[in-house]
Amino acid sequence: MSTDARTAARPLIALPQRFSATTSALRYEAVVTARALADAVLRAGGEPFMMHPHAPEGQVDEAEVAARLARCDGVLLPGGGDLTPRLYEGAGAAVHESVYDVDAEQDAFDLAVARHALARGLPTLAVCRGLQVVNVALGGTLRQDMGGPDREHRHVVHPVRLTPGSAVARATGTERVDASCYHHQCVDRLGDGLVITGRAADGTIEALELPDARAWFTAVQWHPEDTAPKDPPQQGLFDALVSQASYPQVWRA
């Protein structure tokens, strides 16, 4: 097959971008994507589709988000800053001092993408914040802080046990992965329908799945893109996403 043919055949993977106040070589604010995520999708045979997170003043146009996703074959929900606690604890919720980089526009857009991806049956991989977004979208809650520097998972690589036969275990080809983590929040109450398929040794939920999902869905709390270039089990998550996205989606017919 020619290079042009391979490129044309690449399934389009929606990858919501992140707002950035400053970016090297750009004079003003930017929207950015972690290169490691885009590279992992490309290695898997997909085409990263960078979606601008448009939701002015935190108000999202659900129909517009659905229409933009209609051209895509899969979704990759990336990591990023914290979700505002008011989304899962109510408008008057107290905010822990460790909560950072909250952005109403980002929150609204990511939640809309998660809802539509699941409702429409788009193969979806959710990473770190992405896992938390899905959990909140399905009515779950988060622990705003895991207990300070001694208990958070920042700049940590640790083992995660996966449920035998789960989608995450099949994608990685193993029941134990060494996970690169960077987060100070984690799942508290599970969202509707979600099941736990991975935990760290300290009990932190590290992987979630949705048995009743209309398409392939896996969410991991760690950052598989960090080590994917040299760790086949981590790259396997992106390979599985792109492989599933390669099949025509019934909802798009």
Side-chain angles (χ1 to χ4, degrees):
M1 182 181 294
S2 69
T3 300
D4 289 344
R6 286 197 303 271
T7 301
R10 288 179 180 270
L12 207 60
I13 306 300
L15 182 48
Q17 294 179 291
R18 296 282 169 257
F19 292 116
S20 177
T22 59
T23 304
S24 178
L26 299 179
R27 294 179 297 153
Y28 303 112
E29 294 177 325
V31 286
V32 299
T33 298
R35 178 174 177 176
L37 284 172
D39 284 349
V41 169
L42 204 66
R43 275 195 305 273
E47 181 65 38
F49 176 60
M50 314 306 186
M51 293 189 75
H52 188 286
H54 182 63
E57 299 182 359
Q59 300 300 311
V60 68
D61 185 331
E62 299 279 349
E64 180 187 53
V65 172
R68 293 172 66 190
L69 281 176
R71 72 183 68 184
C72 300
D73 303 295
V75 171
L76 172 54
L77 286 168
D82 294 334
L83 285 160
T84 179
R86 70 174 178 79
L87 291 171
Y88 52 89
E89 292 187 356
V95 178
H96 193 278
E97 63 182 7
S98 65
V99 172
Y100 74 104
D101 280 358
V102 168
D103 188 296
E105 189 167 6
Q106 193 83 69
D107 289 349
F109 185 78
D110 285 1
L111 286 164
V113 169
R115 288 192 297 267
H116 285 287
L118 294 174
R120 298 288 186 161
L122 276 173
T124 299
L125 172 62
V127 170
C128 198
R129 169 189 160 96
L131 174 147
Q132 296 170 8
V133 165
V134 170
N135 191 58
V136 171
L138 293 176
T141 62
L142 307 176
R143 289 176 58 190
Q144 290 190 42
D145 185 80
M146 293 171 62
D150 293 336
R151 299 190 64 182
E152 65 189 15
H153 293 176
R154 278 179 166 155
H155 299 300
V156 170
V157 177
H158 62 202
V160 170
R161 292 288 180 181
L162 306 176
T163 301
S166 61
V168 66
R170 294 196 301 272
T172 58
T174 182
E175 295 173 8
R176 179 191 179 280
V177 295
D178 290 322
S180 176
C181 298
Y182 189 87
H183 60 96
H184 75 106
Q185 297 186 326
C186 61
V187 169
D188 187 6
R189 187 183 71 243
L190 283 178
D192 295 341
L194 290 167
V195 298
I196 301 167
T197 54
R199 285 189 186 270
D202 65 2
T204 300
I205 295 171
E206 294 277 4
L208 295 175
E209 292 174 24
L210 195 59
D212 293 333
R214 297 182 60 188
W216 186 88
F217 168 79
T218 298
V220 296
Q221 182 59 74
W222 72 90
H223 286 272
E225 74 275 15
D226 288 357
T227 55
K230 298 181 179 179
D231 188 350
Q234 304 296 345
Q235 180 61 38
L237 288 165
F238 302 98
D239 294 345
L241 170 64
V242 171
S243 176
Q244 291 292 325
S246 298
Y247 296 102
Q249 301 303 305
V250 173
W251 70 271
R252 296 176 63 202

